[in-house]
Amino acid sequence: MTEVSSSETRLSWILFAAAILLLVVWGFAIATWGYGAIIIPALALTATSLISLVFVTRG
């Protein structure tokens, strides 16, 4: 079994806190602006996914 160093544990907590903070901010945006706060990230993710698929298939 591998040992987990304190820096890896700290990094995982920072990433977890950042993910929770992102979800809370997104929740506040949905509460403030409504449907637009749901659609804009979906549209951005669609464009990002399309571009990444093009780069992957080009080799």
Side-chain angles (χ1 to χ4, degrees):
M1 200 177 243
T2 62
E3 287 190 32
V4 178
S5 66
S6 64
S7 65
E8 290 175 350
T9 305
R10 185 167 188 252
L11 178 64
S12 65
W13 276 110
I14 290 172
L15 290 174
F16 178 72
I20 294 298
L21 180 65
L22 180 66
L23 287 174
V24 168
V25 168
W26 190 32
F28 281 132
I30 291 170
T32 303
W33 294 298
Y35 189 63
I38 297 172
I39 288 298
I40 298 298
L43 290 175
L45 184 60
T46 301
T48 305
S49 298
L50 177 66
I51 290 169
S52 64
L53 284 173
V54 167
F55 281 131
V56 166
T57 57
R58 289 189 74 203

